[in-house]
Amino acid sequence: MTRGSRKSWQYFGLGLAWFYLLLWPLLGIRDGELHFADAFAVWLRVAVGATICFVLYRLGKAGRLDGVLSPLAAARDAVGDALGRAPRWMLLAPVIVFALAYPMLTNRYAQDVAINVLVYICLGLGLNVVVGLCGLLDLGYIAFYGVGAYTYALLSVHYSVPFWVCLPICAIFAAVAGCFIGYPTLRMRGDYLAIVTLGFGEIVRIVINNWMALTGGPNGILGIKSPGIYIPHFVDGSFSFEYLLLRKLEYLYYIILALAAFTIVAVHRINFSRIGRAFEAIREDETAAELMGVDTFRFKLLAYALGAVFGGLAGAFFAARMRFVSPESFTFIESAMVLAMVVLGGMGSIPGVILGALALVALPEAFREFELYRMLAFGGAMAVMMLVRPAGLWPAARMGKRSDDTE
Amino acid sequence: MDYFFQQLINGLTLGGVYALVALGYTMVYGIIQLINFAHGEIFAAGGYLGVILLSYMASQGLMDSHPWFGLAFALILAMGYCAMLAMAVEKVAYKPLRQSSRLSVLLSALGMSIFLQNGLMLTQGVYDKAYPTEFTHGGFEWLGVRVSFMQIGILLVTTLLLVLLNTLVFRTRIGKAMRATAQDKVMSALVGIHSDKVISTTFAIGAALAAAAGIMVGLYYGSVRYDMGFVPGIKAFAAAVLGGIGNITGAMIGGLIIGMVEILAAAYIPAGGEYKDVFAFVILIGVLYFMPTGIMGENVDDTRV
């Protein structure tokens, strides 16, 4: 055992002792008595888990695990190479076929989860335009989702406007809201921008919560219509269109699949267009981009508006699917969830965001019995990810380091 | 006019509490340019520890003879606990990220905030926890303005802590080291200031002040809740920005202004009560838009904002 490793073990032990000291007052003092067993039981579990992780980490660092890790790394590289060489349609075709056949293979519950994942993919990709491409940290993104949802809810309940007509209206409203929020914040950078967008998100939520006459306040809006389609109808040789409301989960699945596909294609097109390059230039170095003739003001506003459009579309679908909206769905924690998807998956990378949405929505469903610990694990995972893999699970191909960070 | 003075006293009490929380934000931001999102949760943890300790002492009969002593004891223990908690958070989530991008640290802070909030929820339950009531009643009326002993207590403790902090920052060695590190980290390291230690101390001091604020808010409203840290946290951050972030006097003034505005708006603007949380955000956005360096802030160079 070297001196360095002894020292790290000492720190590790100190950390565990520190953790017990922090844990005990919260669990140990109650009902006028001091308990030690409960806190110790929780501590022991965490301590065993942490020790295993720490031993693995030390072994990996000392090179003892090379026998296992290097073949694994080699296998990963080989698979990566093979995938890289295969034409793109060969990779995409099975995914598309699977996505289309999904409702036939699965039950209601699985479809429900899939719909959730797809909604979050739309949201994540929308936020990805703002955060991943343009580098503007937005902590109030869920406000646009809320704007979309409430726009459809109000139009549907009061004027019974059909879903398909509302979809572009919701997108436009969300884009306007995006410009509205984007405009005053454009002078700010980094941290200040984050906190101001957070403030805007909260303002939207508080207004929704308190404007009883329009939004019903905390009671929300009930009786929103599902999306409908006209289907050709033949009766006794005469031909007519019949209006059918799509209430079944499978139909809703296909609608959100179409929306998600539209979002993926659109974000991909934005990413590799002139606009996308301008966004990336702003992300890498705003001052330099400005000097090279990028109209940063216009493009940052555009990024907000474009990001908001996808949030608005997802919001309209959410309202149509739940047939109920209330302010509870648009809290800060939802914004943090979407942001975590973008960051965990890999900022600026479309497959990364999809992976992030899958990881954060579908994985917790697999561990339902630990439901209570879900947000705890989620917060912890966010911090740990930043420590071990700041670029995300599937990093974007083009990504530099912001000039602000190198001060 | 009586009504106005009444609201003024209420605003002063609340503003003092915001000022205490704001100091934690402003000191940390001044030294490592990080919005410490977890600060609001440390404030909540302080409030919870107050409840835990006070109800334990009450059940042991220690509160019967000298309740205010008991309260002071709980206050000091909670401050120590939160200082330890903040140092642990700093070591785990921020220190390893010193060299990485600003966004990473910010997200790590956000993750830590969610983690702590849910840790509080899991250990303490989702329901409100009530503070013992013996401190809430009692008070006097003076020229038609009702002042409770608790409000006076809060004002006294706040003032005492602010004075102590000022002495610490401007009259002691560690305070000097903190100011030097805030000004230039590399240079102060070169002249022998241990920057890691200074940063840890800063986190601990800020957290202790937040813990005191947590207990006082718990006493003021009578109960604590696991998610009570979020909104006051943001308001306190708004106060720090309003005063000019990184500036200690500014944070105090900012806190007082935010508290006053909130109370007066709730009292005088129609439907102001429902929208009272909006005012802090509106002030924040307004300040950043029209005077990005706040009231007492200096002109910081472009890359820092």
Side-chain angles (χ1 to χ4, degrees):
Chain A
M1 196 180 255
T2 60
R3 189 161 167 275
S5 76
R6 194 160 57 233
K7 199 148 195 181
S8 75
W9 276 104
Q10 275 169 9
Y11 279 127
F12 181 69
L14 198 69
L16 281 181
W18 197 275
F19 177 62
Y20 186 75
L21 269 180
L22 290 177
L23 190 66
W24 178 73
L26 291 178
L27 283 174
I29 313 176
R30 62 190 146 78
D31 313 328
E33 279 171 59
L34 303 180
H35 304 263
F36 289 92
D38 295 352
F40 189 72
V42 174
W43 178 80
L44 196 65
R45 280 186 209 172
V46 176
V48 168
T51 312
I52 292 171
C53 291
F54 190 69
V55 167
L56 284 177
Y57 167 76
R58 290 298 318 177
L59 285 177
K61 215 168 179 192
R64 299 273 171 77
L65 294 180
D66 285 355
V68 188
L69 285 181
S70 24
L72 273 181
R76 193 193 60 204
D77 291 347
V79 170
D81 274 357
L83 288 180
R85 260 182 276 119
R88 182 178 278 174
W89 63 266
M90 262 173 79
L91 303 176
L92 282 179
V95 176
I96 293 171
V97 169
F98 176 72
L100 286 176
Y102 186 79
M104 290 149 215
L105 306 172
T106 50
N107 57 2
R108 245 189 99 78
Y109 172 67
Q111 288 170 20
D112 206 53
V113 174
I115 289 177
N116 259 337
V117 170
L118 287 168
V119 167
Y120 276 107
I121 287 177
C122 287
L123 285 172
L125 286 172
L127 184 61
N128 182 45
V129 172
V130 186
V131 182
L133 293 186
C134 204
L136 305 164
L137 185 52
D138 187 349
L139 291 181
Y141 184 70
I142 214 70
F144 306 129
Y145 186 52
V147 168
Y150 269 87
T151 307
Y152 175 56
L154 291 169
L155 286 175
S156 168
V157 168
H158 295 305
Y159 304 102
S160 34
V161 186
F163 177 74
W164 303 104
V165 180
C166 280
L167 215 48
I169 300 178
C170 289
I172 292 167
F173 266 57
V176 171
C179 292
F180 199 69
I181 291 178
Y183 181 75
T185 57
L186 287 182
R187 284 206 209 161
M188 300 154 200
R189 290 186 186 180
D191 306 343
Y192 281 3
L193 182 70
I195 206 88
V196 167
T197 48
L198 196 165
F200 266 120
E202 278 297 291
I203 290 177
V204 169
R205 194 184 61 80
I206 293 170
V207 169
I208 289 177
N209 205 9
N210 287 303
W211 196 349
M212 294 297 285
L214 184 72
T215 65
N219 303 326
I221 300 177
L222 268 168
I224 301 165
K225 292 215 175 52
S226 297
I229 48 164
Y230 287 99
I231 48 168
H233 193 61
F234 299 97
V235 186
D236 306 334
S238 70
F239 171 77
S240 64
F241 281 105
E242 195 186 14
Y243 191 68
L244 181 76
L245 284 179
L246 300 176
R247 290 229 168 115
K248 280 181 101 176
L249 216 50
E250 295 147 52
Y251 299 140
L252 288 172
Y253 170 81
Y254 283 116
I255 292 176
I256 187 65
L257 186 65
L259 276 179
F262 166 73
T263 309
I264 292 171
V265 172
V267 172
H268 183 80
R269 301 281 296 172
I270 291 171
N271 197 351
F272 295 100
S273 66
R274 279 175 65 86
I275 298 174
R277 306 264 166 184
F279 286 164
E280 282 178 326
I282 292 172
R283 179 187 69 200
E284 300 304 335
D285 192 328
E286 200 176 326
T287 320
E290 180 115 46
L291 284 171
M292 296 304 286
V294 177
D295 186 351
T296 53
F297 184 82
R298 214 175 53 134
F299 277 106
K300 278 157 88 177
L301 210 55
L302 189 64
Y304 266 107
L306 281 175
V309 162
F310 302 115
L313 292 179
F317 174 80
F318 173 79
R321 180 226 170 172
M322 290 294 175
R323 285 182 262 154
F324 169 69
V325 285
S326 79
E328 269 169 47
S329 317
F330 311 108
T331 54
F332 168 69
I333 210 77
E334 289 286 314
S335 280
M337 269 290 262
V338 179
L339 184 67
M341 280 165 201
V342 175
V343 173
L344 248 64
M347 282 194 296
S349 131
I350 295 171
V353 174
I354 296 173
L355 204 65
L358 266 172
L360 283 180
V361 182
L363 267 190
E365 297 292 337
F367 297 100
R368 274 211 91 84
E369 56 267 43
F370 303 110
E371 175 95 53
L372 269 178
Y373 302 95
R374 178 178 170 172
M375 287 316 279
L376 187 82
F378 164 62
M382 215 158 140
V384 169
M385 270 305 275
M386 285 302 113
L387 301 181
V388 297
R389 210 178 157 86
L393 295 169
W394 191 323
R398 292 188 310 213
M399 192 62 140
K401 197 168 157 66
R402 270 190 77 91
S403 57
D404 298 14
D405 298 327
T406 48
E407 57 170 319
Chain B
M1 211 54 200
D2 290 350
Y3 184 64
F4 176 72
F5 280 114
Q6 181 73 61
Q7 300 306 330
L8 213 60
I9 292 280
N10 294 346
L12 207 61
T13 321
L14 195 63
V17 172
Y18 286 157
L20 282 184
V21 186
L23 284 167
Y25 278 108
T26 220
M27 292 196 314
V28 165
Y29 198 92
I31 288 191
I32 54 173
Q33 275 87 49
L34 157 74
I35 301 177
N36 181 13
F37 274 108
H39 195 60
E41 270 56 52
I42 285 169
F43 159 85
Y48 263 106
L49 215 70
V51 166
I52 294 170
L53 291 169
L54 284 179
S55 44
Y56 177 71
M57 287 193 278
S59 70
Q60 299 296 306
L62 297 169
M63 298 295 281
D64 300 339
S65 47
H66 298 291
W68 293 96
F69 267 122
L71 185 60
F73 186 62
L75 198 67
I76 290 167
L77 277 187
M79 285 167 80
Y81 176 84
C82 285
M84 278 173 57
L85 182 62
M87 279 159 83
V89 167
E90 196 265 331
K91 283 275 180 296
V92 172
Y94 306 148
K95 193 179 163 217
L97 291 171
R98 274 301 139 65
Q99 302 307 323
S100 41
S101 82
R102 297 270 287 275
L103 186 63
S104 303
V105 197
L106 201 65
L107 288 166
S108 176
L110 203 59
M112 228 40 219
S113 156
I114 295 170
F115 181 84
L116 289 179
Q117 191 184 93
N118 283 276
L120 269 184
M121 187 192 81
L122 287 173
T123 51
Q124 300 296 311
V126 285
Y127 301 109
D128 292 22
K129 272 214 160 136
Y131 259 81
T133 48
E134 55 248 69
F135 306 103
T136 41
H137 43 70
F140 59 88
E141 218 167 294
W142 184 58
L143 300 177
V145 181
R146 246 195 72 79
V147 186
S148 69
F149 286 136
M150 203 183 56
Q151 280 180 323
I152 295 186
I154 291 177
L155 284 173
L156 278 180
V157 173
T158 311
T159 321
L160 178 74
L161 288 175
L162 293 183
V163 170
L164 275 179
L165 180 78
N166 247 325
T167 324
L168 185 91
V169 171
F170 292 104
R171 296 269 183 280
T172 61
R173 273 181 75 86
I174 181 75
K176 209 179 220 172
M178 277 161 67
R179 281 179 291 142
T181 313
Q183 211 160 57
D184 191 333
K185 215 178 298 157
V186 180
M187 226 18 236
S188 58
L190 284 178
V191 296
I193 294 171
H194 199 313
S195 70
D196 277 344
K197 248 181 218 163
V198 171
I199 292 170
S200 271
T201 318
T202 313
F203 268 89
I205 294 170
L209 296 177
I215 290 193
M216 290 191 288
V217 164
L219 282 171
Y220 193 75
Y221 290 118
S223 66
V224 284
R225 221 181 115 82
Y226 75 96
D227 57 359
M228 72 186 258
F230 176 61
V231 172
I234 300 301
K235 283 180 189 165
F237 184 78
V241 172
L242 175 62
I245 196 137
N247 186 308
I248 289 177
T249 326
M252 296 178 199
I253 297 173
L256 287 177
I257 293 178
I258 296 266
M260 289 284 186
V261 167
E262 189 181 322
I263 293 283
L264 292 180
Y268 288 102
I269 298 178
E274 285 104 62
Y275 289 100
K276 72 182 167 68
D277 289 346
V278 167
F279 295 109
F281 297 126
V282 172
I283 291 175
L284 178 70
I285 295 163
V287 167
L288 285 176
Y289 193 64
F290 293 109
M291 33 179 196
T293 53
I295 296 174
M296 306 278 289
E298 303 137 43
N299 268 321
V300 278
D301 111 38
D302 196 28
T303 51
R304 273 180 66 177
V305 274

